[in-house]
Amino acid sequence: MSRRGLAAVSSVLDQAASSATNILVLVLAARLSSASGFADFSMVYVAFSVLLGLNMAYVGQTVVLEKGERLGVVCRSSVLFTAAASVAAGLLLAAVGPALPGEVGTAFLALGAVLPLVLVQDGLRYCFSALRVPQRALAADTLRLVCVVAALAVQPSGASAGRLVLVWGLSALPALALGLWLLRPFVRGVRAELRPYLRRGHLGQRFVVEFAVGNGSSQLAVLGLGVFATPLAVGALRGATTLFGPLNVLFNSASAFGPPVVGRARGKRGVVRLTALMGAALAVLGAGWAALLYALPDRLGRHLLGDTWAAASALLPATGAQYAVMGLGTCALLTLRVLNPKATLSLQVVFSLLSVALLLGGYALWGVAGAAWGLALGSAATAAAGWLRVVRLEVPAADPTPAAPDTAGRTTA
């Protein structure tokens, strides 16, 4: 296998390891907790997912676009900025936690304590990607997967959400230490530059807007359901989407590695033909996976999600429909990224806000099932609008130039 092929395989495997970690954390937490306990844990994990996405957008996406001799400076700077920002966010969470009622307040306090560990450890992936040594990211993320599964597996049944959050966060220490050691040869002797991250016009600011209106808005809306409605709604939605974790690996891989591959197609017609086939394949896989989960016996379902299975399984038709159309939407946004990168922001602003409105409106009218169908309808509207924009898009006759990967365009709970 060539060096480039090995790097591509390592990148895909690293994404799979990272996604598997998130899936198994939620599965193990669901099995160890009561339905209400998992609801508390899910609220905290949704908050973490928003913070993780913001860091990915503001820091990670700018790091992977860097090239040349400044890579060492950029990588050291990104690690130090992530550490400083996560400490600040952790202190804020620690201050807010005691004001929240019940166990969820303790869980947010625990998240504040471990946030710097988990965010810095995840941020190292982007440094290794920019340095073109994804096998190092794979080594650290594989260790992270092993440690977190081992740490959670030995926790007692009925463990509190705060305890699970603390164990999950502290289990990142070995992977963080390994990642920093593997990064050291590339940043030795260079000085960090944090000022660019604070300047107006930093590229990450655009990516943050795209994440906020794409993924972050729906995550915050789900979190709002737990604060103003019932945490059980968050647990049910999170449990249902956890079962579709393998599809997230495919969507992330298509977004991350799609632009260079699709950009080599000949003209707009070639790009659209390729991405339409990809979208159709992802839609069929989404529908098939949903059917497989729907046919799963309750005994196996409870083995996966514990007490949360009963509520999550009722949402499988809606969540399956959402993931089927998300495959089409992911490829529509990928097409626009390659043909005209500026065409995605306005699309995501309008239809992500529409998705949030449908989620909240669906919950107000029909409860948790209505919220799930609202997300599905929002994803369908985004996909339809994206492909309509592709059809109407006028591009030069020359071959398009690949653009930066888009990882902020999906709407999911």
Side-chain angles (χ1 to χ4, degrees), residues 169-371:
L170 292 176
S171 68
L173 274 171
L176 174 61
L178 176 62
L180 291 174
W181 181 73
L182 291 174
L183 182 65
R184 185 180 178 186
F186 300 96
V187 300
R188 185 185 293 119
V190 300
R191 295 184 61 183
E193 298 177 359
L194 302 185
R195 288 185 178 180
Y197 288 103
L198 305 176
R199 290 174 184 164
R200 184 177 181 180
H202 175 61
L203 185 60
Q205 294 168 8
R206 175 185 175 88
F207 293 142
V208 162
V209 173
E210 293 206 15
F211 169 80
V213 300
N215 188 282
S217 57
S218 65
Q219 296 279 17
L220 289 174
V222 171
L223 190 60
L225 291 181
V227 174
F228 299 108
T230 169
L232 293 175
V234 181
L237 287 169
R238 178 58 67 182
T241 54
T242 297
L243 297 172
F244 287 83
L247 294 182
N248 286 329
V249 176
L250 295 177
F251 293 158
N252 290 336
S253 297
S255 296
F257 306 110
V261 175
V262 173
R264 290 196 290 266
R266 188 178 299 276
K268 176 184 176 181
R269 180 175 296 180
V271 170
V272 172
R273 182 184 298 115
L274 182 55
T275 54
L277 288 173
M278 289 173 58
L282 289 176
V284 170
L285 282 173
W289 186 253
L292 181 64
L293 290 173
Y294 193 72
L296 201 67
D298 286 343
R299 177 177 55 82
L300 293 179
R302 285 192 296 271
H303 185 71
L304 286 173
L305 294 181
D307 292 341
T308 304
W309 168 254
S313 61
L315 305 182
L316 287 177
T319 307
Q322 179 193 357
Y323 270 81
V325 294
M326 276 172 60
L328 295 171
T330 295
C331 291
L333 292 171
L334 172 60
T335 308
L336 292 172
R337 272 288 175 167
V338 172
L339 296 177
N340 184 2
K342 295 182 179 180
T344 60
L345 182 57
S346 60
L347 186 74
Q348 292 188 48
V349 168
V350 173
F351 285 91
S352 294
L353 294 177
L354 174 63
S355 294
V356 170
L358 291 170
L359 181 152
L360 297 176
Y363 182 81
L365 294 174
W366 298 291
V368 181

Side-chain angles (χ1 to χ4, degrees), residues 94-117:
V96 171
L100 297 175
E103 182 59 34
V104 71
T106 305
F108 271 103
L109 186 63
L111 177 61
V114 300
L115 188 65
L117 303 179

